[in-house]
Structure formats: structure tokens, C-alpha cells
Amino acid sequence: IANDTGGLAIADTNDLGLGLGRVVEELGQYYEVVYAPPNPVPDGRFRRIIVRVTADPSFKPRARTGYTAASN
């Protein structure tokens, strides 16, 4: 679920301190991107999102896999 929603999963460890350290580190590296969808029709369908970074290949974005367009 965390990967599909752009979140961070802290798993396979009993050391909560390491996971929380990673969370604190990432809070200083947070960017938000907003866009206008090419299909603005509010039809309740799932729309896939793919985020790519071309400027720096070492940058690994974490984003939602998509969203459901609100229906009227």
C-alpha cells in the first residue's frame, strides 16, 4: 500500500530508530508537483500516473500509481 500511495514502508526490522531517521531525512527532501490531467472528465475511472526525472538519474521519485477521477 505504501508504494502505491507514494509513501514509505518501514519493514523487516525491529529497529524503529533507523526507520524514523529515514523519515526525518526525507522530510528535508520533499517536493510537490501538481499537473492538469489531459482528460478532465469526472467519470470515476482510475487514471495511471507515471513520474520520471530526466535531470538527475540518481533521483528516485516516489509517487502514487494513479488516482480515481471524482464522479459527479
Side-chain angles (χ1 to χ4, degrees):
I1 293 174
N3 289 332
D4 288 345
T5 60
L8 170 66
I10 301 170
D12 300 324
T13 182
N14 289 327
D15 188 350
L16 188 57
L18 286 175
L20 290 177
R22 185 168 171 198
V23 169
V24 169
E25 178 185 341
E26 289 191 9
L27 285 174
Q29 304 170 356
Y30 183 83
Y31 292 91
E32 184 173 334
V33 177
V34 179
Y35 81 106
N39 179 1
V41 178
D43 57 9
R45 297 180 67 190
F46 183 78
R47 310 279 170 77
R48 183 152 309 278
I49 297 173
I50 299 172
V51 177
R52 293 187 183 102
V53 177
T54 58
D56 184 353
S58 68
F59 183 74
K60 303 293 184 219
R62 194 169 54 234
R64 296 170 54 177
T65 57
Y67 67 96
T68 301
S71 59
N72 290 335

